[in-house]
Amino acid sequence: AAPIAEFPCGTIVYIDNGVIEPFYAVVLDTGYSMRYGYANNFIWFDLAFVSENDPAIHSATSYNTKYVVKRWGW
C-alpha cells in the first residue's frame, strides 16, 4: 500500500534499505496511514509478507530507505 494519489495502483517501486537485499514492490492499494504520512512529509509503504512472524519484517523497516519508481501505475 502507498499514498495512492502520489503512487497510483500498479506503480512499480525498487526499494533498498541497505539491510536486506533490494527488491521490487507493486502498489496495490492505499491506507489512511500512508496518506497521513505523505501529508506530513513521510513516504510510507505497507509491505505484504508471507506471515506476521516473518523475520524479514523487522529487517525491512528503516528510516533510511531509498526507493526508485520504475513505472507509474496502470
Side-chain angles (χ1 to χ4, degrees):
I4 209 79
E6 304 303 323
F7 301 93
C9 282
T11 297
I12 298 173
V13 183
Y14 179 79
I15 299 173
D16 182 0
N17 72 354
V19 177
I20 61 174
E21 185 174 337
F23 58 93
Y24 289 91
V26 179
V27 176
L28 298 175
D29 64 0
T30 191
Y32 172 77
S33 63
M34 273 55 67
R35 294 188 308 267
Y36 175 83
Y38 194 82
N40 289 284
N41 299 312
F42 292 99
I43 297 176
W44 292 338
F45 291 103
D46 184 8
L47 303 174
F49 289 90
V50 174
S51 79
E52 291 181 20
N53 298 324
D54 190 327
I57 292 172
H58 302 292
S59 299
T61 302
S62 171
Y63 287 99
N64 296 312
T65 302
K66 296 175 184 151
Y67 70 91
V68 177
V69 173
K70 295 296 190 174
R71 187 192 79 192
W72 293 99
W74 46 63

